[in-house]
């Protein structure tokens, strides 16, 4: 990849091993915008529609006129409040992230209501110690030690200690029925000791050089340490955790169901004031109008500072010379991708050569320039094109297995497979019509659906019977988990930090029969002993070590041979900010932090904001 295509500086610390990736969003009904990391929070990255992005994060020339300002429907002083437009909320009296519908996604809890041990700043590559001051392994990766900031306090002024960390780890390890429970904690954590209030030592049952990755706020959120003095003795499957006691700079002021609003206020006793204390007194997360036109007008009147705007309406505001709009581009960590069933019981899609047929009929340039709402690069690898991921790229392997549009090669492969054209030009496979069904959780106006439509159209030209169906998140999730699909057009979020995350999840030991729930692993039913062996060896190695490098290359080549997940395009999502009341937003020229308002890292954007003086 050319350096000019890069969006971020190198990420020196490679982080990985989320217990659950964004595909878990389908199970919780949050659409593409959800993930759980050891009981963590949610992500937003749903497909959208709109025009071509043309903003650069700067005000248009000559736009000095002062627009009309509306009265925001909020219970706090407007010039002291940051108002963030978010999703439609249904839950207002619970903040328990560990049970279904126990917390309203996008309500600000992940962003300003709780803190994490470490934060990764993707744009700069900085690993930021926060509640924890550091971590270290022993020589054979069977012990992991965390050290915590002795100044840290909960919002009720009780000290944050290693006992809180131990309590949370064991709670999650021993309760697999909780969201984010079990998983790697159950697989690897034998015990946790606390030699002093600021040190916790995790004794591992087997080596794992990546376990610390799950304790870092990476994509949207991270490990949520619970206050033992609040949670101990409570039933974690029923406890509402309302109001939530955490260490964050903001505390919940009120949740107003009638206005679909969460009001967070600055904590005057925040433990880290000498290092970080925002000028914003209140942060409100509020559901925006169902009508995008109405939401856009509310943004134009500065009733919202962040969100409530899509690219189509942002483009209109730019054309009108609206002076207070800042548009900041950022690549989502989840490329759009196709998941292909590998089970021969599904017919022709079970042949790996058919996976390459599918890849060859995807016009990625067209998808990236005309289908996605804003122009976005094509994808060769099943991970985001952050500079920190370039260490996983292998030019020689990628050159051999190019993600390219070539219908002629697709037709040639079909012939080689024996899928010859019969009467009426329809191809047959083992005596039956060659058929492919694409499913997607995207609505019929979503980009993922359109990607599927393009594939269906190309397959029909080649004589393959094909169709596409859109299913609601829960219905799609069930079909996907049970292997009742040929192709699923969605996204790939498995590679947060290291490709072995994807490979481990595709191990043959997780492959279930069609109709049996795969429980979040190997939904495509891949059986590849060579990839299994490589991923198992990599699982106990530092992914950047010299001995891991050749194995990573071999694993990538094996992955491409079978191609169970086909990368299509990167995912560009602009963020939109209003400068009427607050300035200091991240821009394309100064992307100092993750610009997404639903990520935990957005707390540091809030910390950079300065009031404009507007009353």
């Amino acid at each position: 990849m050319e350096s000019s295509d890069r969006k971020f500086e190198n990420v020196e610390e490679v982080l990985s091993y989320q217990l659950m990736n964004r595909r878990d969003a389908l199970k919780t009904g949050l659409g593409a915008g959800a993930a759980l990391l050891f009981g963590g929070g949610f992500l937003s990255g749903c497909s959208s529609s709109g025009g071509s992005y043309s903003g650069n994060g700067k005000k248009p020339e000559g736009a000095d006129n002062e627009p009309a300002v509306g009265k925001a429907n909020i219970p706090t002083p407007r010039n002291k409040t940051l108002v963030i437009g978010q999703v439609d909320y249904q839950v207002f009296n619970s903040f328990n992230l560990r049970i279904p519908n126990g917390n309203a996604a996008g309500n600000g809890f992940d962003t300003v209501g709780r803190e994490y041990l470490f934060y990764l700043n993707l744009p700069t590559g900085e690993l930021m110690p926060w509640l924890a001051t550091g971590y270290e392994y022993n020589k054979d990766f069977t012990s992991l030690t965390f050290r915590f900031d002795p100044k840290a306090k909960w919002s009720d002024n009780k000290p944050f200690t290693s006992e809180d960390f131990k309590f949370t780890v064991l709670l999650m390890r021993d309760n697999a029925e909780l969201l984010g429970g079990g998983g790697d904690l159950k697989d690897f954590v034998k015990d946790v000791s606390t030699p002093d209030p600021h040190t916790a030592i995790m004794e591992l049952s087997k080596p794992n050089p990546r376990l610390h990755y799950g304790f870092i706020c990476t994509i949207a959120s991270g490990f949520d340490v619970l206050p033992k003095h609040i949670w101990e003795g409570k039933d974690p499957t029923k406890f509402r955790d309302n109001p939530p006691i955490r260490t964050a700079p903001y505390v919940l002021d009120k949740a107003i169901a009638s206005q679909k609003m969460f009001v967070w206020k600055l904590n005057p006793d925040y433990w880290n004031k000498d290092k970080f204390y925002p000028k914003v007194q209140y942060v409100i997360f509020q559901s925006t109008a169902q009508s995008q036109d109405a939401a856009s007008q509310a943004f134009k009147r500065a009733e919202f500072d962040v969100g409530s705007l899509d690219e189509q309406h942002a483009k209109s505001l730019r054309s009108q010379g609206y002076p207070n709009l800042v548009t900041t581009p950022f690549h989502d960590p989840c490329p759009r991708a196709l998941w292909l069933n590998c089970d021969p019981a599904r017919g022709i899609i079970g042949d790996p050569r058919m996976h390459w047929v599918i890849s060859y009929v995807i016009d990625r340039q067209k998808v990236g320039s005309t289908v996605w709402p804003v122009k976005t690069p094509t994808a060769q690898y099943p991970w985001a094109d952050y500079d920190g991921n370039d260490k996983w790229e292998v030019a020689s392997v990628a050159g051999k297995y190019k993600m390219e549009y070539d219908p002629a090669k697709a037709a040639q492969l079909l012939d080689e497979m024996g899928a010859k054209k019969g009467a009426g030009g329809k191809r047959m496979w083992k005596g039956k019509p060659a058929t492919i069904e694409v499913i997607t959780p995207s609505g019929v106006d979503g980009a993922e659906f359109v990607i599927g439509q393009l594939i269906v159209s190309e397959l029909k030209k080649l004589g393959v019977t094909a169709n596409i169906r859109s299913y609601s998140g829960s219905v799609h999730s069930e079909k996907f988990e049970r292997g009742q699909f040929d192709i699923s057009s969605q996204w790939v979020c498995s590679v947060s930090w290291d490709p072995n995350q994807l490979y481990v999840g595709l191990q043959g030991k997780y492959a279930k029969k069609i109709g049996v729930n795969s429980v979040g692993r190997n939904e495509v039913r891949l059986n590849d002993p060579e990839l299994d062996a490589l991923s198992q060896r990599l699982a106990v190695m530092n992914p950047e070590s010299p001995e891991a490098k050749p194995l990573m290359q071999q694993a990538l080549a094996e992955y491409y041979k079978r191609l169970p997940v086909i990368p299509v395009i990167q995912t560009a999502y602009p963020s939109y900010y209003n400068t009427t009341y607050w300035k200091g937003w991240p821009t394309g020229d100064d992307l100092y932090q993750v610009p997404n308002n639903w990520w935990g890292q957005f707390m540091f954007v809030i910390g950079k904001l300065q009031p404009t003086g507007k009353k």
Side-chain angles (χ1 to χ4, degrees):
M1 181 176 293
E2 295 297 323
S3 61
S4 60
D5 291 332
R6 293 290 178 190
K7 301 297 184 294
F8 312 104
E9 301 298 326
N10 275 313
V11 177
E12 297 300 330
E13 288 286 339
V14 180
L15 316 171
S16 68
Y17 262 46
Q18 295 171 224
L19 279 179
M20 302 173 71
N21 60 49
R22 271 189 13 168
R23 287 179 287 113
D24 291 310
L26 305 176
K27 304 173 194 172
T28 60
L30 297 176
L36 293 163
L37 298 142
F38 293 139
F42 96 112
L43 299 168
S44 182
C46 305
S47 61
S48 58
S49 58
S52 297
Y53 166 66
S54 58
N56 58 9
K58 300 178 180 179
K59 293 183 180 182
E61 292 292 332
D64 295 325
N65 54 305
E66 187 68 21
V69 175
K71 179 176 174 57
N73 185 26
I74 59 175
T76 56
R78 182 65 179 94
N79 62 335
K80 297 181 179 180
T81 305
L82 180 70
V83 186
I84 298 176
Q86 257 291 346
V87 296
D88 187 34
Y89 304 122
Q90 303 298 327
V91 179
F92 296 90
N93 63 349
S94 175
F95 296 85
N96 186 343
L97 298 159
R98 289 154 174 81
I99 57 175
N101 299 314
N103 178 63
N107 62 3
F109 190 27
D110 288 341
T111 305
V112 299
R114 59 191 178 114
E115 293 183 313
Y116 308 97
L117 302 187
F118 303 86
Y119 291 83
L120 177 69
N121 183 338
L122 281 171
T124 68
E126 179 187 3
L127 181 64
M128 304 167 60
W130 205 252
L131 288 173
T133 59
Y135 68 89
E136 61 182 323
Y137 288 91
N138 62 355
K139 289 184 178 180
D140 63 358
F141 299 105
T142 58
S143 175
L144 171 59
T145 299
F146 287 103
R147 291 182 172 80
F148 308 107
D149 195 317
K151 302 193 312 295
K153 292 191 305 181
W154 299 103
S155 57
D156 61 1
N157 287 321
K158 297 290 176 58
F160 173 98
T161 73
S162 55
E163 288 298 326
D164 297 306
F165 178 81
K166 176 180 178 178
F167 169 79
T168 308
V169 169
L170 298 183
L171 176 73
M172 300 307 294
R173 183 197 68 178
D174 299 336
N175 290 275
E177 75 276 12
L178 300 177
L179 295 176
D184 280 6
L185 293 178
K186 182 178 181 180
D187 291 345
F188 291 96
V189 179
K190 182 187 295 185
D191 200 5
V192 181
S193 62
T194 54
D196 63 61
H198 312 305
T199 306
I201 303 173
M202 303 176 74
E203 181 185 354
L204 309 186
S205 57
K206 49 189 172 182
N208 187 339
R210 297 173 172 85
L211 192 66
H212 70 287
Y213 298 163
F215 295 93
I216 300 167
C217 179
T218 56
I219 299 174
S221 64
F223 188 76
D224 179 36
V225 180
L226 301 172
K228 179 181 178 181
H229 66 283
I230 299 293
W231 276 72
E232 190 172 34
K234 305 292 195 305
D235 182 346
T237 66
K238 296 178 181 178
F239 184 46
R240 294 183 183 275
D241 197 20
N242 182 28
I245 301 299
R246 293 297 190 276
T247 63
Y250 292 88
V251 294
L252 182 69
D253 185 40
K254 62 191 73 172
I256 309 175
S258 61
Q259 295 179 250
K260 297 198 171 185
M261 174 189 300
F262 292 84
V263 181
W264 302 86
K265 64 180 179 181
L266 198 60
N267 180 6
D269 298 318
Y270 176 53
W271 68 274
N272 214 8
K273 285 176 71 172
D274 59 336
K275 183 176 180 180
F276 178 82
Y277 203 57
K279 297 288 179 57
V280 177
Q281 296 293 306
Y282 300 91
V283 182
I284 289 179
F285 285 76
Q286 183 176 21
S287 297
T288 57
Q290 294 295 316
S291 163
Q292 188 59 57
D293 287 340
S296 175
Q297 288 302 310
F299 181 91
K300 186 177 181 179
R301 294 191 299 267
E303 294 171 18
F304 291 95
D305 300 297
V306 187
S308 77
L309 194 66
D310 65 3
E311 177 55 29
Q312 179 179 347
H313 290 80
K315 186 176 182 180
S316 175
L317 290 180
R318 290 187 208 106
S319 68
Q320 298 169 24
Y322 182 72
N324 294 344
L325 169 64
V326 171
T327 306
T328 303
F330 186 71
H331 278 196
D332 188 85
C334 303
R336 299 304 96 167
L338 307 173
W339 293 73
L340 279 64
N341 208 318
C342 301
D343 195 319
R346 287 296 300 186
I348 194 171
I349 196 65
D351 190 314
R353 292 172 293 181
M354 191 64 194
H355 295 196
W356 276 97
V357 170
I358 301 300
S359 184
Y360 285 136
V361 300
I362 305 171
D363 189 342
R364 292 172 176 79
Q365 293 288 346
K366 180 177 181 179
V367 172
S369 60
T370 65
V371 174
W372 197 250
V374 298
K375 191 172 182 178
T376 189
T378 62
Q380 167 69 38
Y381 300 93
W383 53 74
D385 61 348
Y386 302 147
D387 273 4
N389 284 336
D390 62 2
K391 61 177 68 67
W392 313 123
E393 298 179 3
V394 185
S396 59
V397 175
K400 183 178 179 180
Y401 299 99
K402 294 180 180 179
M403 300 290 108
E404 60 184 354
Y405 178 58
D406 195 334
K409 283 187 179 179
Q412 180 181 344
L413 268 178
L414 285 167
D415 291 340
E416 292 175 2
M417 292 168 59
K420 301 291 186 179
K421 287 187 177 181
K426 298 292 185 180
R427 292 187 184 267
M428 304 294 291
W429 170 253
K430 296 185 177 180
K432 297 180 180 179
T435 61
I436 294 291
E437 181 179 70
V438 182
I439 67 171
T440 180
S442 170
V444 295
D445 58 345
E448 294 84 0
F449 186 90
V450 177
I451 291 170
Q453 279 185 315
L454 292 175
I455 293 168
V456 166
S457 177
E458 293 283 350
L459 289 174
K460 287 180 176 179
K461 293 177 186 176
L462 294 174
V464 177
T465 300
N467 64 79
I468 180 170
R469 295 182 185 275
S470 170
Y471 292 104
S472 67
S474 58
V475 176
H476 175 276
S477 178
E478 183 170 357
K479 286 183 172 292
F480 187 61
E481 292 286 352
R482 295 183 181 278
Q484 296 166 332
F485 68 98
D486 295 327
I487 300 173
S488 176
S489 177
Q490 46 167 300
W491 39 84
V492 56
C493 305
S494 304
V495 182
S496 305
W497 311 110
D498 128 33
N500 202 48
Q501 292 176 272
L502 176 61
Y503 308 148
V504 165
L506 294 172
Q507 287 188 17
K509 65 182 179 181
Y510 301 129
K512 308 292 186 183
K513 292 182 179 180
I514 300 294
V516 178
N517 195 320
S518 62
V519 198
R521 287 172 165 171
N522 200 0
E523 297 91 337
V524 295
R525 275 67 180 169
L526 176 67
N527 275 290
D528 186 337
E530 186 171 347
L531 185 60
D532 289 354
L534 289 165
S535 65
Q536 288 163 12
R537 291 176 65 187
L538 285 167
V540 295
M541 293 182 180
N542 180 331
E544 292 192 73
S545 63
E547 61 267 28
K549 185 175 181 179
L551 297 180
M552 281 288 191
Q553 294 183 3
Q554 294 173 44
L556 181 62
E558 187 63 25
Y559 158 81
Y560 278 138
K561 288 178 186 177
R562 300 298 298 272
L563 207 57
V565 184
I566 303 178
V568 180
I569 57 170
Q570 296 296 327
T571 307
Y573 281 116
S575 292
Y576 307 99
Y577 310 114
N578 196 304
T579 60
T580 300
Y581 290 99
W582 300 100
K583 60 185 179 180
W585 301 105
T587 67
D589 295 333
D590 183 18
L591 195 63
Y592 59 81
Q593 186 52 270
V594 173
N596 300 334
N597 70 74
W598 57 92
W599 288 43
Q601 293 93 328
F602 196 74
M603 180 178 82
F604 299 105
V605 172
I606 295 173
K608 287 270 287 186
L609 297 181
Q610 299 290 327
T612 63
K614 178 76 175 178
K615 299 293 185 181

